[in-house]
Amino acid sequence: MKKILGIITDKVAQAFISCGYEGKYGQTGISNRPDLCEYQCNGAMAAAKAYKKAPIKIAEEVVGKLATDSIFEEITSVMPGFINIKISTEFLAERINQMAEEDKLGCEMEKEPDTIIIDYGGANVAKPLHVGHLRSAVIGESIKRIMKFFGNHVIGDVHLGDLGLQMGLVIEELRDRKPDLPYFDEGFTGEYPKEAPFTISELDEIYPAASARAKEDEEFNERAHNTTFQMQKGNRAYHAIWEHIMNVSKIDLKRNYDNLNVEFDLWKGESDVQPYIPDMVQGLLDRGIAYKSQGAVVVDVAMEQDNKELPPCLIQKSDGAALYATSDLATIVEREKLYQPDRYIYLADKRQDLHFTQVFRVAKKAGFVKENCDLKFLGFGTMNGKDGKPFKTRAGGVMRLEYLLKEINEAAYQKIVENQKANGEELSEEEARGRAAIVGLAALKYGDLSNQSAKDYIFDIERFVSFEGNTGPYILYVIVRIKSILAKYAETGKNEAEATKICPAVKDSEKALMLTLIHLQEVLEMAYKEIAPYKICQYIYELANVFNSFYHDTKIISEENEMQQKSWIALLKLTKKTLEACIELLGFQAPDRM
Ligand code: ARG
């Protein structure tokens, strides 16, 4: 459906035109002084310069044309030339009812949907997931949902780091711990065991141990490097261990991502694209795009307009080994072959900016992607602790994602128990834990997504799980509150399904709620165009606030005028539906009670 700002702007622009000015001056926006008006047009000021006239004169003329239009309750010109607008409650109710009826709450789908690859998650197999991967998963999942919501064909790929040094480290550590395994018997020609030589908890312990050892033991470190290289080249024994690591690790990763309500369409990784590498590198050399430099293969990516120097992209080391950039380029080659995406969106720590700039330049230069293909890197900031330094465990180590989730769930659990005590509700342990998991996840995701993703933010459990303030649980609380009013309404023997029509607002707080609701289309479109989930957080926080004002101001259940009551129930349903649609896009859900 047409956005309300579009309708108002059209009317005002028409008025400018019929007064003899250009229509572009009619651009109208949401007022930043809601105490004075709801919408505002500042075009008369700009028109004044172009037409050499006093702005207030122009504003007065335009207002004169619109004074009798029924969509406006009040339209006035204000010094020096503002046009202040309040819309009529009838017009607003009509729009709100349409929004409630329409699919997707009136949001318009992309007319020419794109195929979009979202590369997020980026876990490294055999290494435990840590908080650095959290942001990639949380932000990427939300972006994926937003892109899908607007009708695009979106493919989310976890793009595992599954070939790196961690594999060599695990293999060498395993060799020292279990030298009798057939993988380490060079003369072994039989079939390797189907059973993995370790469990997930062993693997969880092996990698950190090996990684610590490599820092001190040069011989071990070198072995791990060499083994990684052999494994990448296809050594049969190492490949067999690699497969075990992959199987065991993937199960664990899936469980972790499930707990985060993060779901990938593809579980591909760097290993999947290795077969493309030899031809790709050779092709780049043959076409003169890449060249050899001291035995290595590089591609120049600097451009004239660069304001800082961009080093060449290294795609093969002198020993023949492929690099991070090589894998990413080969991944583009494969994605083009399989999906021909119109857009790519990558999520990783913003310190990977140079890497992605290089990769994208090579991809364009080599013609791996179409000229107009949109390759975007969304680098996110660091999650810091309260001390402003990258978030660590109390012991100073890297926090594992699992423990982080446990901690936040525990904090949410405490809040829920407190809340129940205050309400006098009896709650089973199991029920409380179930709710805590839902609330904890909302706290965690909202805490992250409510910041612009490129910025660093402070991870503050106490604040994140609070039921008050700009937090996930606060938003959930409003949804739960609506659910409870709807339940009470049903208890009085009435059917909420029959409450469908919203009448013109009779109270200011009610109109304010409707005005916020009707801006959903603008907000979601902006979040979509700017790839900015935080805009949705800002919006639902505002919506939750205006809803609470309305709620405190209105006795819904005891209202005697049945039509009025029905209208409010319908308004509540729309508020709930809107909030739920938004949190769905952010990647979390609301419990029934909390
Ligand atoms: N595995 C990488 C890391 O942990 C992130 C992968 C990002 N995606 C990509 N296509 N390079 O840093």
mmCIF file of all heavy atoms in Angstrom, residues 119 122 124 133 159 161 324 328 346-348 352 355-356, ligand 1:
data_model
loop_
_atom_site.group_PDB
_atom_site.id
_atom_site.type_symbol
_atom_site.label_atom_id
_atom_site.label_comp_id
_atom_site.label_asym_id
_atom_site.label_seq_id
_atom_site.Cartn_x
_atom_site.Cartn_y
_atom_site.Cartn_z
ATOM 1 N N ASP A 119 26.760 -14.079 3.161
ATOM 2 C CA ASP A 119 27.852 -14.900 3.674
ATOM 3 C C ASP A 119 28.056 -14.471 5.118
ATOM 4 O O ASP A 119 28.574 -13.398 5.388
ATOM 5 C CB ASP A 119 29.084 -14.597 2.797
ATOM 6 C CG ASP A 119 30.322 -15.380 3.176
ATOM 7 O OD1 ASP A 119 30.659 -15.418 4.372
ATOM 8 O OD2 ASP A 119 30.975 -15.927 2.254
ATOM 9 N N GLY A 122 30.420 -17.763 9.436
ATOM 10 C CA GLY A 122 31.866 -17.840 9.257
ATOM 11 C C GLY A 122 32.623 -18.587 10.343
ATOM 12 O O GLY A 122 33.782 -18.287 10.631
ATOM 13 N N ASN A 124 34.824 -21.271 12.322
ATOM 14 C CA ASN A 124 35.988 -22.051 11.940
ATOM 15 C C ASN A 124 35.884 -23.436 12.565
ATOM 16 O O ASN A 124 35.833 -23.570 13.779
ATOM 17 C CB ASN A 124 37.260 -21.341 12.411
ATOM 18 C CG ASN A 124 37.402 -19.990 11.738
ATOM 19 O OD1 ASN A 124 37.129 -19.840 10.538
ATOM 20 N ND2 ASN A 124 37.789 -18.983 12.503
ATOM 21 N N HIS A 133 32.184 -14.553 16.547
ATOM 22 C CA HIS A 133 31.278 -15.121 15.548
ATOM 23 C C HIS A 133 29.826 -14.803 15.857
ATOM 24 O O HIS A 133 28.959 -14.965 15.010
ATOM 25 C CB HIS A 133 31.471 -16.640 15.465
ATOM 26 C CG HIS A 133 32.811 -17.011 14.914
ATOM 27 N ND1 HIS A 133 33.762 -17.673 15.644
ATOM 28 C CD2 HIS A 133 33.377 -16.770 13.703
ATOM 29 C CE1 HIS A 133 34.844 -17.850 14.910
ATOM 30 N NE2 HIS A 133 34.639 -17.305 13.729
ATOM 31 N N HIS A 159 29.550 -20.433 5.215
ATOM 32 C CA HIS A 159 30.936 -20.311 4.761
ATOM 33 C C HIS A 159 31.962 -20.645 5.862
ATOM 34 O O HIS A 159 32.690 -19.780 6.375
ATOM 35 C CB HIS A 159 31.235 -18.931 4.183
ATOM 36 C CG HIS A 159 32.504 -18.911 3.385
ATOM 37 N ND1 HIS A 159 32.588 -19.473 2.141
ATOM 38 C CD2 HIS A 159 33.739 -18.463 3.675
ATOM 39 C CE1 HIS A 159 33.813 -19.350 1.696
ATOM 40 N NE2 HIS A 159 34.549 -18.746 2.614
ATOM 41 N N GLY A 161 35.141 -21.832 7.871
ATOM 42 C CA GLY A 161 36.597 -21.863 7.729
ATOM 43 C C GLY A 161 37.002 -23.288 8.072
ATOM 44 O O GLY A 161 37.111 -23.642 9.238
ATOM 45 N N TYR A 324 43.594 -17.113 2.094
ATOM 46 C CA TYR A 324 42.219 -16.705 2.428
ATOM 47 C C TYR A 324 41.539 -16.062 1.216
ATOM 48 O O TYR A 324 40.410 -16.404 0.848
ATOM 49 C CB TYR A 324 42.312 -15.727 3.602
ATOM 50 C CG TYR A 324 41.008 -15.315 4.255
ATOM 51 C CD1 TYR A 324 39.939 -16.200 4.383
ATOM 52 C CD2 TYR A 324 40.860 -14.030 4.783
ATOM 53 C CE1 TYR A 324 38.764 -15.805 5.016
ATOM 54 C CE2 TYR A 324 39.698 -13.631 5.417
ATOM 55 C CZ TYR A 324 38.642 -14.514 5.525
ATOM 56 O OH TYR A 324 37.497 -14.120 6.155
ATOM 57 N N ASP A 328 38.174 -17.157 -1.077
ATOM 58 C CA ASP A 328 37.020 -16.288 -1.289
ATOM 59 C C ASP A 328 36.760 -16.055 -2.775
ATOM 60 O O ASP A 328 35.610 -15.972 -3.200
ATOM 61 C CB ASP A 328 37.199 -14.964 -0.532
ATOM 62 C CG ASP A 328 36.539 -15.028 0.843
ATOM 63 O OD1 ASP A 328 35.502 -15.700 0.959
ATOM 64 O OD2 ASP A 328 37.062 -14.420 1.794
ATOM 65 N N TYR A 346 28.654 -9.726 2.659
ATOM 66 C CA TYR A 346 29.541 -10.485 3.556
ATOM 67 C C TYR A 346 29.540 -9.840 4.930
ATOM 68 O O TYR A 346 29.637 -8.623 5.045
ATOM 69 C CB TYR A 346 30.982 -10.453 3.050
ATOM 70 C CG TYR A 346 31.230 -11.186 1.761
ATOM 71 C CD1 TYR A 346 30.962 -10.578 0.532
ATOM 72 C CD2 TYR A 346 31.758 -12.470 1.766
ATOM 73 C CE1 TYR A 346 31.210 -11.251 -0.656
ATOM 74 C CE2 TYR A 346 32.013 -13.148 0.578
ATOM 75 C CZ TYR A 346 31.734 -12.537 -0.633
ATOM 76 O OH TYR A 346 31.986 -13.190 -1.808
ATOM 77 N N LEU A 347 29.489 -10.683 5.948
ATOM 78 C CA LEU A 347 29.604 -10.158 7.298
ATOM 79 C C LEU A 347 30.833 -10.712 7.984
ATOM 80 O O LEU A 347 30.995 -11.928 8.093
ATOM 81 C CB LEU A 347 28.357 -10.543 8.108
ATOM 82 C CG LEU A 347 27.265 -9.560 7.786
ATOM 83 C CD1 LEU A 347 26.089 -10.238 7.186
ATOM 84 C CD2 LEU A 347 26.940 -8.755 9.007
ATOM 85 N N ALA A 348 31.676 -9.824 8.434
ATOM 86 C CA ALA A 348 32.835 -10.249 9.211
ATOM 87 C C ALA A 348 33.323 -9.028 9.987
ATOM 88 O O ALA A 348 32.862 -7.900 9.759
ATOM 89 C CB ALA A 348 33.936 -10.793 8.308
ATOM 90 N N GLN A 352 38.572 -6.935 8.668
ATOM 91 C CA GLN A 352 38.800 -7.672 7.416
ATOM 92 C C GLN A 352 38.507 -6.814 6.186
ATOM 93 O O GLN A 352 38.427 -7.321 5.069
ATOM 94 C CB GLN A 352 37.946 -8.936 7.394
ATOM 95 C CG GLN A 352 38.319 -9.903 8.505
ATOM 96 C CD GLN A 352 37.774 -11.312 8.278
ATOM 97 O OE1 GLN A 352 37.398 -11.686 7.177
ATOM 98 N NE2 GLN A 352 37.745 -12.096 9.343
ATOM 99 N N HIS A 355 40.965 -7.086 3.200
ATOM 100 C CA HIS A 355 40.815 -8.377 2.521
ATOM 101 C C HIS A 355 39.664 -8.338 1.515
ATOM 102 O O HIS A 355 39.813 -8.731 0.361
ATOM 103 C CB HIS A 355 40.589 -9.465 3.578
ATOM 104 C CG HIS A 355 40.027 -10.744 3.025
ATOM 105 N ND1 HIS A 355 40.790 -11.650 2.330
ATOM 106 C CD2 HIS A 355 38.761 -11.245 3.030
ATOM 107 C CE1 HIS A 355 40.019 -12.670 1.944
ATOM 108 N NE2 HIS A 355 38.784 -12.442 2.359
ATOM 109 N N PHE A 356 38.510 -7.849 1.977
ATOM 110 C CA PHE A 356 37.345 -7.861 1.085
ATOM 111 C C PHE A 356 37.481 -6.852 -0.054
ATOM 112 O O PHE A 356 37.074 -7.136 -1.183
ATOM 113 C CB PHE A 356 36.048 -7.664 1.880
ATOM 114 C CG PHE A 356 35.639 -8.921 2.596
ATOM 115 C CD1 PHE A 356 35.854 -9.079 3.957
ATOM 116 C CD2 PHE A 356 35.079 -9.982 1.893
ATOM 117 C CE1 PHE A 356 35.499 -10.255 4.604
ATOM 118 C CE2 PHE A 356 34.719 -11.164 2.531
ATOM 119 C CZ PHE A 356 34.927 -11.291 3.900
HETATM 120 N N1 ARG B 1 36.083 -17.708 9.041
HETATM 121 C C1 ARG B 1 36.348 -16.304 9.012
HETATM 122 C C2 ARG B 1 36.800 -15.812 10.386
HETATM 123 O O1 ARG B 1 36.561 -16.472 11.384
HETATM 124 C C3 ARG B 1 35.172 -15.495 8.582
HETATM 125 C C4 ARG B 1 34.664 -15.791 7.200
HETATM 126 C C5 ARG B 1 34.007 -14.609 6.563
HETATM 127 N N2 ARG B 1 33.539 -14.898 5.222
HETATM 128 C C6 ARG B 1 34.297 -14.960 4.146
HETATM 129 N N3 ARG B 1 33.752 -15.276 3.005
HETATM 130 N N4 ARG B 1 35.586 -14.707 4.193
HETATM 131 O O2 ARG B 1 37.371 -14.763 10.479
#
